[in-house]
Amino acid sequence: MPGYVALVLHAHLPYVRHPEHARSLEERWFFEALWECYLPLLGVLDRLAADRVVAPLTLSVSPSLLAMLRDELLLRRFEDHLRRLAALAARVEARFAGSGFAAAAALYRARLADAASAWEALDGDLPGALLRHAGAGRVELLTTAATHAYLPGLLPTPASIRAQLRLGRRAFAALAGAPEPRGFWLPECAYAPGIDADLAAAGVRFTVLDAHALTLAAPPPSAGASVPVLSPAGVACFARDRDSAREVWSRDAGYPGHPAYREFYRDVGLDLPERELDGEIGPGGTRLMTGLKLHRVTGPGPDKAPYDPARASAQARAHAAEFVARREAALASSRGAPAPPILVAPYDAELFGHWWLEGPEFLDHALRRLAASDRAVPIALGAYLERHPPVEVVAPAASTWGEGGFGAFWTGPSAAPLWRHAHHAERAVLGALSRCRGASGLPGRALDQAIRELLLLQSSDWAFMMSAGEMVPYAEARARAHAARARRLASLAQQPTAAPADVAWLDALCRLDPFLAELTGPALQDAFDPWP
C-alpha cells in the first residue's frame, strides 16, 4: 500500500500599502515576493502542466496577499519596480563581465526578463492563473484568517475569532472569484482547544497542525502523526512532518544553507558604491536589498565566494532526489496505520525563491520525482480526505509552529503592546456595532472602516516583527495607527452629525486603507455574531 506526500505552501504577506509615499520601502516586500517567489512558483506549475506531470500540491493564499494582488496602485508600482530593477541588473551584468561574478550577474538579468514576460502573459492576474491551475486539479487552494491573526491571542475576545474566520473565507471568495475553500490554514499553525468548534461552525473541513499538537493530544492518536484525525468538533487535522520541516527549515542543517546556494545577506545594494545603484537606495542614503546577490553561502564566516548558478542548480536537483528518497523511506517504515500514511510538508511559500533562490527549482524536481514514485504519491490534502476520511477523534493540544512551539513568540513581552491595543480597539468597535448596526450614510461607512482597521490591527505580523526585533518601529507604528483609527471611527459611527473635517478624514482613510472594500454592511458587520 503506497503512502502519500502533501506539499503545502502558505503564501502570505502583511497588508502594506502606502500611497502617501512615492516609493515605499515596505511595499518592496510585496514586489520582491512577486518576482522572486510567486511568479517562479507559477512557472513551476506551468512547466509541470506542459509536461503532463501529475503532482498536485496545496497552496494557501491569505486575504491580505490577495487584496494586494488585486490593488491597481500596487500592481502599477510593481511594474515600475521591475523596470528599475531590470535596468540595474543590466548595469551590474556589464560591470562584472569577464569576472568571477559574471554568471551570477547574467542570471539576474535573465530572471527579471522572465518575470516581466510572465507578468505580461498573465496580464497581471496572478490569482486568475492560480485558479486555472486549481480548476485543472494541479493545485488545491486554501485560505486563512482575514488578516492572518494569531487566533489563540483572541481567545479573550471570541467575537474577533469568528470575524477573522468568516471574513477570511468571504474575502477569499470575493477577491479570488472562487467558492469558499474547504481547508483553512491556521496562522502560525496556532491551535488552542475550542478553536476547532469555531472552524467547524465557519464551514472548515480540515486544517494543518504542528506535530506536537497530535503527539500531545488526549488521547494520543493510535497512528501517531502519520494519518489525520478528527477534532472534537469534527475538523480533520493533519500533522506537520517533523523531518520534512527540519530538512528544509533548519538553520544549521536545512538545505538552503548548503555552501553552493546563493547567499541571501550579501546584496549589490549593500556592496556597490551608491553612484552605481541608480537611485535604488532608501531615504537619507539608506542601503536596501535589491535582490541582486552575487555570492554563495560558502561557509559560516564573512568571506563569500562568487555564486555559480550551474553548481547551485545541480545541488537543487540532488537535494530534491534526497528529499523524495527520505520520504519514501519514512513511508515504508509506517506500518499498521488505519489508513495509508501521509507526510505533510508545509512551508511558507516565500521561502522558495526569496530566501532560498533555488527553492522553486527544488520544488520542480521534487514534484517530478514524487509523480514518478510508487511509494510516495503526491496528493492535495482535500483529495486525501476524500479517499481516506478520518474516523479517530482526539483533542489536539495547544501548539504553534516556530520558536518554542507554544505561542510565546506571538504573545510574549515584546508583543504585549499589540494585544493591549487590539483588545481596547475591539471593545470600541463592538460597542459601536451594537448601537449602529445597519446604519446608512456616513455612520455606516465609519463602522465598516472601523471593522477593517480592527482586522488590520490584529495581524500576527506585527507581533512577529516585535518579537523578532525586525522592523519594530514600523510594526509598533502600524499597531498604534490602526488602533487609533478604529477607536475614532467607532466614535464617529455613533455621532448624529459629522463635521466636514471628519468627513474628509474618513474619505482619505478609505482611500488609504481600502482593504476588503469589496465587503460592506452586513457582509462585514455580521461577521462578529455568535454562530447559529
Side-chain angles (χ1 to χ4, degrees):
M1 179 174 63
Y4 295 94
V5 173
L7 286 171
V8 182
L9 302 183
H10 175 51
H12 164 69
L13 290 175
Y15 184 76
V16 173
R17 184 182 189 273
H18 291 290
E20 70 273 24
H21 301 302
R23 288 171 61 178
S24 161
L25 299 184
E26 292 77 23
E27 287 178 359
R28 293 174 72 99
W29 303 340
F30 175 59
F31 306 152
E32 290 165 357
L34 260 177
W35 81 268
E36 294 176 341
C37 171
Y38 306 142
L39 288 173
L41 288 176
L42 184 61
V44 170
L45 293 173
D46 289 342
R47 290 190 297 274
L48 294 176
D51 295 340
R52 299 187 178 182
V53 175
V54 180
L57 56 81
T58 302
L59 175 64
S60 168
V61 186
S62 74
S64 54
L65 175 57
L66 272 175
M68 291 188 286
L69 288 169
R70 293 298 194 198
D71 191 292
E72 293 184 3
L73 171 69
L74 292 178
L75 299 186
R76 288 197 307 271
R77 288 185 169 187
F78 169 64
E79 292 167 359
D80 291 340
H81 179 82
L82 209 57
R83 284 191 288 269
R84 292 196 310 271
L85 210 52
L88 177 60
R91 290 191 295 276
V92 169
E93 182 180 24
R95 185 189 197 277
F96 289 102
S99 74
F101 295 101
L107 171 73
Y108 289 107
R109 179 191 52 76
R111 283 176 64 90
L112 284 159
D114 288 345
S117 296
W119 186 252
E120 183 178 359
L122 55 88
D123 196 25
D125 184 10
L126 192 141
L130 291 175
L131 286 174
R132 288 191 290 275
H133 282 294
R138 290 184 284 270
V139 63
E140 177 183 35
L141 295 177
L142 315 184
T143 193
T144 186
T147 55
H148 207 262
Y150 177 79
L151 297 180
L154 297 175
L155 286 173
T157 55
S160 279
I161 294 180
R162 296 191 294 267
Q164 284 282 345
L165 296 180
R166 281 181 170 129
L167 293 176
R169 288 164 56 78
R170 290 175 188 174
F172 178 89
L175 292 164
E180 295 182 2
R182 299 175 298 169
F184 189 90
W185 179 265
L186 284 169
E188 318 304 352
C189 242
Y191 179 81
I195 285 179
D196 64 316
D198 291 301
L199 292 171
V204 173
R205 184 182 176 197
F206 64 88
T207 191
V208 177
L209 306 179
D210 210 298
H212 59 292
L214 296 191
T215 57
L216 299 176
S222 60
S226 63
V227 297
V229 296
L230 291 176
S231 76
V235 177
C237 298
F238 292 88
R240 183 168 75 137
D241 177 51
R242 291 183 181 275
D243 292 335
S244 300
R246 182 175 60 253
E247 289 169 20
V248 174
W249 274 120
S250 171
R251 179 173 299 180
D252 299 320
Y255 294 145
H258 189 278
Y261 289 145
R262 184 201 67 176
E263 169 61 47
F264 177 81
Y265 293 100
R266 287 289 296 273
D267 190 286
V268 301
L270 309 179
D271 289 345
L272 293 185
E274 182 177 323
R275 65 181 180 277
E276 297 186 31
L277 297 176
D278 194 28
E280 287 303 302
I281 57 174
T286 304
R287 291 306 188 97
L288 305 174
M289 290 278 200
T290 65
L292 310 185
K293 307 168 193 294
L294 307 181
H295 296 79
R296 60 183 176 89
V297 173
T298 309
D303 296 327
K304 304 295 180 182
Y307 178 63
D308 182 347
R311 180 183 174 189
S313 179
Q315 188 58 58
R317 183 185 292 268
H319 274 151
E322 177 183 298
F323 179 86
V324 173
R326 289 181 173 177
R327 304 292 78 73
E328 290 175 334
L331 288 167
S333 66
S334 298
R335 303 297 184 199
I342 179 170
L343 299 178
V344 179
Y347 309 103
D348 283 339
E350 293 75 25
L351 168 68
F352 297 90
H354 177 62
W355 297 101
W356 183 17
L357 177 72
E358 301 80 9
E361 189 172 0
F362 166 87
L363 277 178
D364 189 307
H365 292 308
L367 288 167
R368 290 174 188 272
R369 284 186 170 271
L370 288 170
S373 175
D374 58 1
R375 292 179 290 166
V377 179
I379 196 168
L381 297 180
Y384 179 92
L385 291 179
E386 290 176 359
R387 299 181 193 180
H388 309 288
V391 294
E392 187 173 14
V393 179
V394 306
S399 54
T400 67
W401 70 359
E403 185 175 331
F406 292 100
F409 200 75
W410 290 276
T411 59
S414 297
L418 172 69
W419 297 107
R420 182 176 66 251
H421 287 307
H423 295 319
H424 286 321
E426 191 208 41
R427 282 196 292 272
V429 172
L430 291 184
L433 183 61
S434 68
R435 300 179 185 94
C436 308
R437 180 192 296 263
S440 59
L442 186 136
R445 291 180 60 217
L447 181 57
D448 285 353
Q449 192 63 26
I451 292 170
R452 299 184 186 108
E453 297 293 337
L454 176 63
L455 295 171
L456 290 168
L457 169 61
Q458 293 169 342
S459 169
S460 73
D461 300 281
W462 317 136
F464 179 90
M465 293 176 192
M466 292 172 184
S467 292
E470 300 175 356
M471 301 294 294
V472 174
Y474 180 75
E476 291 176 341
R478 286 290 299 266
R480 289 193 301 269
H482 291 306
R485 293 168 187 168
R487 291 194 300 268
R488 182 177 172 183
L489 287 161
S491 176
L492 183 59
Q494 300 173 72
Q495 301 301 317
T497 59
D502 288 329
V503 176
W505 175 76
L506 175 60
D507 290 341
L509 184 57
C510 290
R511 292 191 297 269
L512 183 72
D513 278 346
F515 178 68
L516 298 194
E518 297 81 4
L519 302 179
T520 60
L524 280 173
Q525 296 171 19
D526 71 6
F528 296 88
D529 292 350
W531 303 112

